[in-house]
Amino acid sequence: MTFLVRQIALKSNGEEIVRPSTIEGDELLIGRDSACAVHLPDLAVDPRHARARIERDGVLLVESLGEQPFEADGRSTKSRTIDPAVGAELGFGGHRLTVSRDADSGAPVITVRRIEAVSESAEDIDLGSAFTLKGLLPGKRASAWVFALAMLVAFLAVPIWTYATYQPLAMDKDARRPAGVHGDTAWKSGHLSLAHHNLENDCQACHTKAFVAVTDNACLTCHKEDAHSHIPDGARLLRARGEPQGMARLTQAVASTFNRPQGRCVGCHTEHEGAGAMPATRQQFCTDCHDGLRSRLPDSKLADAADFGTAHPQFRPSLIRTVAADGKPVFAQVSWAPGLKEANGLKFTHAQHLSHSNGVAQMVRRRPGQFAANDALGCQDCHKAEAGGARFKPVVMEEACESCHSLTFDQIGGTFRTLRHGQPEQVVADLRAYYRGGAPTRPAMLSGMARRIPGDAARTASAADYARAVHFYPTRGDQAVAQVFGKGGMCFDCHTVTRTGGAATDGFAVQKVAQNTRYYHVGWFDHTDHRKTDCATCHTRAKTSNDASDLLVPGLDGPGGCRSCHVGEDGAKLAGANVKDPVKSGCAMCHAYHMDGGEPWKPADERKKRAIVTTAVADRPRLPAVMR
């Protein structure tokens, strides 16, 4: 069944507006609730006042749902049966509902008309605002002006007054703002990083002038020791970046107008990014200058660099070219290539020591529990990480080698006498003293209990032979020295030995040994971050190297190269490169602007704690990150 509901409203000129609607079903609700099919916004009407239901014979039954009655043809009642063909008039508060039948469809028609005002004192109040607070509030225009004035006072006048009141504090390094509410914090775009957390309520420490961006002098007031210019020549830095083009030119012009020139500290070291560690500088800030640098600065010695995965120059490790007579290494920086070698003065084969089938492996198996593995030597048996884990300590013979390569030459009771490693003069002196202070074994023929040939001639011959042995016994020291330093001797097997020494070493000279513990000085590498990766993943030639001078550190590409995992900040990689577990790597992961020998993007104190400078590195001139 269907109901036809017609809502009639009057215009200001008295013209009627009819809004018809069709309600499907056998019944409908009448009330003040907006969910009712016949909605009557009148406080005299209950939310669900009455229900109209079509009976089987076509008549309409209207009955109250509560105790509140309604009017039917002028009489108050709670229930009324109406024949739509005859019609009737129902009253609910100030509304009249006329019931009739539609001539075309025969469906019951309910016409709703308001004949009385909602209240006697507010006849002209619109039904849409009769039950709201709209009439109690000021108009929209007045409210807009009030709120605009409140914003100006709260977020402009009060912050300016606060800044002006506390501005003199910026001139005293020990002065601090008093506790309380500070109006200019409303301008704060975010929390300061942990490094600057103590300045959270001291805006004048950096913002020394009102409406002027933070200047480099404000930064250098505190960062006197741990910060300096990326390059000494600021004008050259701007030329390296190049002139802005298009909209960038307009943006830069506006920035310069408001005291924000290029090349400032805050151009790269951004603040108010959140209450955490200061974020690493994005790759964009580096590539703005270094991508296409040679075209803007033809005299620069630096190669162009962009994303690490697609456009980065080959690494340039610092290798030991030779070792001076005083033991100090002489370095040379070269471009990485397969087959590079360095003169470290050692004879050593990684392949022999890492083998799983030769005598070294058999020795490991015979000494279970003394090495990291039980079937062969491993890298960690000789190479020990420094305290921070970033690099490895120089290999010490007494700790890493002597357990297998013993220097013992005598035993007195339960005590073993050993030659002194690294002191050739002392080795020669100890061997000569050993043979000079002793005597050869007494022949059995001179013993009273020994059997001998009868006659004094045999006894005299034995005595003469022993006397001769005692006389020449000290010369065996020279023979021992020759054996130790000669081919097949203790020293010769691991060191380069020549006949250019002095008398103190019996003419032998051992080439000085220098260990290179840091090959890349312009970039940073931390072994701690790679501790879950097997050494041979990067040092791929270690198990096949038969020459101690082989350069085993990886380069940019090839087996074990850094691009095997690191694919740049945007995750790009070279065409055809097979990257199993790609690692996004921006410039700041390996490079720092302020090169102090420490790890990039760590607090200065922490970087200095973790940095290792060996004898070899300490004597090497620093490679500055300067655009020459």
Side-chain angles (χ1 to χ4, degrees):
M1 297 296 291
T2 303
F3 289 92
L4 298 180
V5 179
R6 297 173 180 168
Q7 294 276 358
I8 297 178
L10 296 177
K11 295 182 178 180
S12 58
N13 59 3
E15 184 180 354
E16 291 185 347
I17 302 175
V18 180
R19 299 185 178 90
S21 61
T22 302
I23 308 299
E24 299 291 340
D26 294 336
E27 65 179 29
L28 55 74
L29 296 178
I30 303 170
R32 192 173 72 245
D33 193 338
S34 60
C36 294
V38 179
H39 177 218
L40 306 177
D42 192 335
L43 291 176
V45 180
D46 287 345
R48 296 167 63 89
H49 197 120
R51 177 176 58 199
R53 185 174 67 248
I54 300 176
E55 300 294 329
R56 292 183 179 180
D57 54 359
V59 298
L60 189 65
L61 175 61
V62 181
E63 55 184 356
S64 295
L65 297 177
E67 297 298 325
Q68 187 75 7
F70 60 91
E71 292 184 3
D73 292 333
R75 295 183 179 183
S76 178
T77 182
K78 291 185 178 181
S79 179
R80 177 69 181 270
T81 302
I82 304 171
D83 184 356
V86 177
E89 185 178 79
L90 307 177
F92 292 86
H95 294 77
R96 290 296 178 264
L97 279 64
T98 303
V99 180
S100 61
R101 184 184 298 277
D102 184 65
D104 296 330
S105 63
V109 178
I110 299 178
T111 303
V112 183
R113 185 191 304 269
R114 190 184 71 177
I115 60 172
E116 297 180 6
V118 175
S119 65
E120 295 180 356
S121 61
E123 295 185 359
D124 296 331
I125 296 179
D126 184 72
L127 289 176
S129 60
F131 306 106
T132 67
L133 297 177
K134 180 179 178 180
L136 302 178
L137 296 177
K140 293 180 179 179
R141 186 182 299 275
S143 298
W145 280 107
V146 171
F147 283 123
L149 182 61
M151 293 300 103
L152 289 174
V153 172
F155 299 107
L156 182 61
V158 173
I160 291 177
W161 180 83
T162 301
Y163 184 90
T165 303
Y166 296 144
Q167 202 276 337
L169 297 178
M171 303 296 106
D172 187 351
K173 66 177 182 179
D174 297 324
R176 292 293 182 269
R177 286 185 173 191
V181 178
H182 308 289
D184 55 353
T185 57
W187 293 345
K188 185 171 65 176
S189 59
H191 290 288
L192 292 175
S193 64
L194 293 178
H196 297 144
H197 180 68
N198 61 328
L199 302 176
E200 191 76 38
N201 295 320
D202 191 10
C203 303
Q204 280 84 2
C206 301
H207 301 275
T208 56
K209 294 183 179 180
F211 304 105
V212 175
V214 176
T215 62
D216 288 352
N217 287 336
C219 300
L220 296 175
T221 300
C222 298
H223 297 276
K224 295 179 180 179
E225 302 294 335
D226 60 344
H228 54 79
S229 299
H230 181 45
I231 66 171
D233 189 351
R236 185 174 176 82
L237 178 62
L238 295 181
R239 291 199 305 273
R241 187 167 186 170
E243 292 293 331
Q245 303 295 328
M247 285 299 297
R249 183 187 296 272
L250 176 61
T251 303
Q252 182 56 43
V254 173
S256 299
T257 302
F258 288 92
N259 300 304
R260 298 187 62 184
Q262 288 183 312
R264 300 180 304 142
C265 298
V266 296
C268 298
H269 300 288
T270 56
E271 257 295 356
H272 295 289
E273 298 285 345
M278 184 177 289
T281 301
R282 289 177 295 165
Q283 179 172 286
Q284 172 192 349
F285 291 104
C286 303
T287 57
D288 283 347
C289 292
H290 288 272
D291 188 8
L293 175 67
R294 298 297 292 272
S295 62
R296 296 185 291 271
L297 293 178
D299 59 333
S300 175
K301 295 182 180 180
L302 297 178
D304 293 342
D307 187 84
F308 183 80
T310 57
H312 191 281
Q314 181 57 267
F315 297 153
R316 292 178 58 82
S318 296
L319 304 183
I320 301 175
R321 185 175 62 189
T322 184
V323 181
D326 58 358
K328 294 184 177 180
V330 178
F331 289 91
Q333 192 176 40
V334 299
S335 180
W336 186 94
L340 282 178
K341 297 181 181 296
E342 64 175 347
N344 51 26
L346 278 175
K347 295 177 184 177
F348 180 84
T349 61
H350 280 87
Q352 181 181 16
H353 286 77
L354 296 177
S355 173
H356 287 254
S357 59
N358 63 2
V360 176
Q362 294 296 331
M363 178 204 65
V364 172
R365 296 188 184 101
R366 289 194 296 268
R367 300 167 65 183
Q370 296 190 23
F371 301 95
N374 292 323
D375 59 341
L377 286 177
C379 302
Q380 62 272 31
D381 289 319
C382 300
H383 297 280
K384 305 297 182 181
E386 47 88 13
R391 307 177 199 157
F392 283 85
K393 301 176 182 178
V395 176
V396 179
M397 188 272 180
E398 289 76 9
E399 298 175 1
C401 310
E402 195 171 17
S403 62
C404 300
H405 299 275
S406 176
L407 300 182
T408 300
F409 71 96
D410 187 23
Q411 180 180 3
I412 300 176
T415 303
F416 296 92
R417 298 176 63 188
T418 60
L419 300 178
R420 306 197 190 181
H421 182 259
Q423 303 179 40
E425 297 85 355
Q426 191 65 49
V427 170
V428 172
D430 287 345
L431 289 175
R432 286 176 172 172
Y434 170 77
Y435 285 101
R436 184 178 300 163
T441 304
R442 184 179 181 86
M445 297 180 113
L446 298 182
S447 174
M449 302 299 295
R451 297 180 62 185
R452 56 185 177 81
I453 300 174
D456 293 335
R459 184 182 182 91
T460 303
S462 296
D465 291 340
Y466 179 65
R468 190 164 42 252
V470 171
H471 177 74
F472 290 103
Y473 187 73
T475 62
R476 293 189 60 184
D478 294 333
Q479 297 176 15
V481 170
Q483 290 177 354
V484 168
F485 290 100
K487 186 175 182 180
M490 294 180 181
C491 302
F492 190 88
D493 286 346
C494 301
H495 297 274
T496 301
V497 182
T498 62
R499 297 290 295 178
T500 59
T505 58
D506 201 16
F508 292 100
V510 180
Q511 181 178 334
K512 297 290 186 178
V513 173
Q515 298 184 51
N516 193 347
T517 57
R518 186 173 181 182
Y519 290 88
Y520 298 119
H521 292 259
V522 179
W524 176 265
F525 180 84
D526 193 340
H527 282 88
T528 304
D529 298 333
H530 300 77
R531 60 185 179 273
K532 294 183 179 180
T533 304
D534 185 70
C535 301
T537 302
C538 299
H539 304 280
T540 56
R541 297 179 55 206
K543 293 184 178 182
T544 59
S545 172
N546 288 303
D547 189 345
S549 63
D550 287 342
L551 178 65
L552 302 181
V553 296
L556 187 63
D557 298 303
C562 295
R563 277 179 174 161
S564 300
C565 297
H566 296 275
V567 293
E569 185 176 83
D570 300 326
K573 59 178 179 291
L574 293 175
N578 182 16
V579 181
K580 183 178 180 181
D581 297 314
V583 179
K584 292 186 178 181
S585 317
C587 302
M589 178 179 285
C590 303
H591 295 284
Y593 296 138
H594 314 301
M595 299 298 291
D596 57 3
E599 181 177 356
W601 295 105
K602 293 287 184 182
D605 293 341
E606 294 298 324
R607 281 186 275 163
K608 292 175 182 178
K609 289 179 183 178
R610 299 186 64 180
I612 283 185
V613 180
T614 63
T615 303
V617 176
D619 297 322
R620 178 194 181 283
R622 181 181 296 277
L623 295 175
V626 177
M627 296 180 184
R628 301 192 181 112

